[in-house]
């Protein structure tokens, strides 16, 4: 979370902003990040910074896998990434691992 | 603070080998000027939060590649037997395959002392309250070892199956240990970690019977969760399964057999 805040503070500084009002993130379901923990950490690390009290939004990114046999992408039903067409398990992950700072609203 | 759990980075990360200590300093830039704007403005950022670590991991990877090192990132819960497994490995093959070990722990250098007694060149990183290792810590620690003399560099990560999964350290292989005492469903509880593993090692198999470990179920769970992983079943105490693991390591070495003869 401290990494996220530092990126946000750098961006705000580059825009000569004095306050961060809103911060949006994208968090993949396979990133290992727990949104609740992130929100808690956000409140703690922003204290005393220009991001204190900012609204914090997390957009969850579902896992998308690729089946090399069918050459098709699919959204798995559970943690076993089984292709719904050929029922093979695949280790190929297209998305769902991201932890990204998407945008900031500043003034 | 870690992206995943919010562990604190207050305090110093300590890195020391047994022969010499290196001091290191951090500088922080501060001081910024603000101009006030009345209207709110949205800035598109689109930056990966761990971009800095990922970049440093790529730098480590290139550095290790130049040294012809096979680098392993060894991960597990606390108490799965990482240190015992590495001790056994160094005792068995250390003279043939020179191995250096970077050990990450929250506190104490007990593991580094154990490993160093088994004959490996060892550096301890004490992370204080940080629950995982990051690329810059690994680089600083690696530079305290004579990498030109090594064939294998092992990074024994902090015992934790959650946060270390998100941090690439520049390794070639991610090795995840799971002991029979932890139960067959461990892979189902930590998908992110198991899906990132190239190797899964079931440890303490000498205790399997006593704890009524369901081997078939465990193998099925690992194969479903991590179809990409090669699985080994070992006992560090009795030595079962270690030969198969050494064979796999040998196949992945970067140095030609000639250069490993000392």
């Amino acid at each position: 979370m401290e990494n996220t805040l530092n990126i946000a503070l750098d961006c705000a500084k580059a825009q000569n902003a004095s306050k961060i009002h809103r911060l949006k993130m994208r968090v993949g379901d396979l990133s290992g990040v727990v949104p609740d923990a992130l929100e808690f950490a956000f409140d703690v690390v922003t204290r005393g910074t220009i991001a204190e009290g900012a609204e914090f939004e997390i957009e969850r990114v579902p896992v998308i896998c690729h089946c090399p046999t069918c050459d098709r992408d699919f959204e798995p039903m559970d943690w076993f990434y089984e292709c719904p067409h050929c029922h093979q398990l695949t280790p190929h992950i297209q998305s769902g691992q991201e932890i990204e700072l998407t945008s900031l609203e500043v003034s | 603070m870690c992206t995943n759990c919010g562990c604190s980075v207050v305090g110093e990360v300590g890195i020391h080998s047994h022969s010499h200590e290196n001091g290191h300093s951090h500088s922080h830039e501060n001081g910024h000027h603000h101009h006030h704007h009345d209207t709110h403005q949205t800035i598109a950022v689109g930056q990966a939060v761990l971009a800095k670590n990922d970049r440093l991991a790529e730098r480590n990877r290139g550095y290790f590649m130049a040294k012809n090192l096979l680098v392993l990132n060894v991960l597990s819960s606390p108490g799965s037997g990482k240190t015992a497994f590495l001790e056994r490995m160094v005792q068995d093959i250390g003279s043939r395959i020179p191995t250096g070990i970077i050990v990450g722990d929250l506190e104490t250098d007990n593991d580094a002392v154990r490993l160093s007694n088994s004959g490996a060149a060892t550096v301890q990183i004490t992370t204080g309250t940080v629950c995982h290792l990051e690329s810059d810590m690994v680089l600083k620690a690696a530079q305290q070892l004579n990498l030109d003399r090594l064939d294998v560099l092992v990074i024994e990560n902090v015992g934790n199956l959650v946060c270390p999964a998100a941090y690439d350290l520049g390794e070639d292989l991610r090795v995840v240990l799971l002991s029979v005492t932890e139960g067959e469903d461990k892979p189902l509880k930590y998908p992110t970690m198991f899906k990132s593993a190239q190797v899964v090692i079931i440890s303490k198999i000498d205790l399997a019977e006593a704890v009524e470990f369901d081997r078939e179920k465990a193998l099925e769970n690992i194969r479903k969760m991590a179809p990409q992983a090669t699985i080994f079943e070992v006992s560090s105490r009795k030595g079962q399964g270690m030969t198969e693991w050494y064979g796999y390591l040998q196949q992945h070495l970067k140095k030609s057999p000639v250069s490993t003869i000392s």
Side-chain angles (χ1 to χ4, degrees):
Chain A
M1 194 65 236
E2 218 161 54
N3 296 326
T4 314
L5 180 66
N6 287 336
I7 297 169
L9 292 177
D10 285 347
C11 288
K13 191 174 156 189
Q15 298 284 326
N16 292 321
S18 57
K19 180 81 189 143
I20 297 174
H21 299 276
R22 186 193 295 263
L23 195 146
K24 283 190 190 174
M25 286 187 78
R26 292 177 79 228
V27 173
D29 284 346
L30 187 61
S31 65
V33 170
V34 182
D36 284 349
L38 212 55
E39 277 173 43
F40 174 76
F42 180 78
D43 289 342
V44 176
V45 300
T46 53
R47 259 174 229 159
T49 72
I50 62 166
E52 183 168 344
E55 274 182 65
F56 185 47
E57 267 178 50
I58 298 174
E59 180 200 342
R60 291 180 60 181
V61 184
V63 174
I64 303 291
C65 296
H66 181 76
C67 173
T69 311
C70 304
D71 196 22
R72 273 202 254 194
D73 289 352
F74 67 93
E75 196 174 323
M77 304 294 291
D78 53 28
W79 289 114
F80 304 139
Y81 296 166
E82 185 186 301
C83 173
H85 309 288
C86 72
H87 303 289
Q88 263 182 317
L89 293 168
T90 178
H92 302 287
I93 298 151
Q94 306 288 92
S95 71
Q97 291 173 303
E98 37 288 89
I99 310 169
E100 220 177 79
L101 177 60
T102 330
S103 68
L104 292 176
E105 197 179 298
V106 299
S107 68
Chain B
M1 189 172 286
C2 168
T3 315
N4 299 42
C5 74
C7 64
S8 170
V9 283
V10 178
E12 280 287 88
V13 170
I15 297 176
H16 53 269
S17 56
H18 288 274
S19 48
H20 48 121
E21 281 196 28
N22 267 18
H24 48 111
S25 61
H26 299 288
S27 65
H28 293 282
E29 268 187 53
N30 236 331
H32 31 221
H33 307 282
H34 303 305
H35 296 283
H36 286 272
H37 296 274
D38 294 319
T39 51
H40 290 200
Q41 181 192 357
T42 303
I43 314 169
V45 185
Q47 193 180 328
V49 170
L50 299 179
K52 190 178 165 199
N53 180 71
D54 289 346
R55 208 162 50 236
L56 293 174
E58 283 308 319
R59 185 179 69 173
N60 285 0
R61 194 167 278 114
Y63 178 54
F64 296 147
M65 203 183 280
K67 301 279 185 194
N68 288 318
L69 275 172
L70 172 64
V71 182
L72 313 178
N73 184 1
V74 179
L75 303 127
S76 80
S77 306
S80 301
K82 290 188 293 297
T83 308
F85 173 71
L86 295 173
E87 260 178 324
R88 176 85 196 205
M89 181 176 136
V90 169
Q91 280 161 10
D92 289 351
I93 60 164
S95 57
R96 195 155 44 87
I97 304 173
T99 302
I101 305 180
I102 294 171
V103 191
D105 280 300
L106 298 175
E107 292 296 342
T108 85
D109 63 351
N110 295 349
D111 287 359
V113 169
R114 274 173 66 185
L115 290 164
S116 152
N117 288 342
S118 70
T122 309
V123 183
Q124 176 82 48
I125 303 177
T126 45
T127 59
T129 50
V130 184
C131 64
H132 61 272
L133 293 178
E134 294 185 17
S135 289
D136 58 340
M137 302 175 194
V138 168
L139 180 66
K140 277 183 204 148
Q143 284 172 334
Q144 295 200 19
L145 293 167
N146 189 345
L147 299 179
D148 293 315
R149 286 206 190 147
L150 301 177
D151 289 357
V152 174
L153 178 64
V154 179
I155 304 161
E156 184 186 333
N157 217 311
V158 178
N160 178 357
L161 279 178
V162 185
C163 313
Y167 292 84
D168 182 7
L169 302 178
E171 70 268 18
D172 297 295
L173 299 171
R174 225 172 234 217
V175 179
V176 177
L177 260 82
L178 151 78
S179 67
V180 296
T181 57
E182 292 166 66
E184 305 78 30
D185 58 350
K186 201 96 189 211
L188 310 185
K189 294 176 179 168
Y190 300 91
T192 307
M193 180 60 85
F194 281 90
K195 286 196 181 290
S196 74
Q198 276 85 36
V199 176
V200 174
I201 290 176
I202 302 176
S203 62
K204 307 187 189 180
I205 57 163
D206 53 310
L207 302 178
E209 211 172 314
V211 297
E212 296 178 12
F213 180 69
D214 186 341
R215 174 177 178 267
E216 289 310 318
K217 189 80 206 158
L219 290 173
E220 186 193 336
N221 286 340
I222 297 167
R223 286 191 193 114
K224 277 178 160 177
M225 190 55 80
Q228 76 287 350
T230 307
I231 305 170
F232 295 94
E233 297 167 73
V234 309
S235 162
S236 309
R237 209 186 314 175
K238 311 270 183 192
Q240 289 147 278
M242 294 302 282
T243 313
E244 287 80 359
W245 163 242
Y246 302 148
Y248 177 91
L249 262 189
Q250 185 82 43
Q251 278 174 17
H252 286 79
L253 287 181
K254 308 276 181 71
K255 286 181 181 163
S256 64
V258 178
S259 70
T260 60
I261 296 168
S262 51

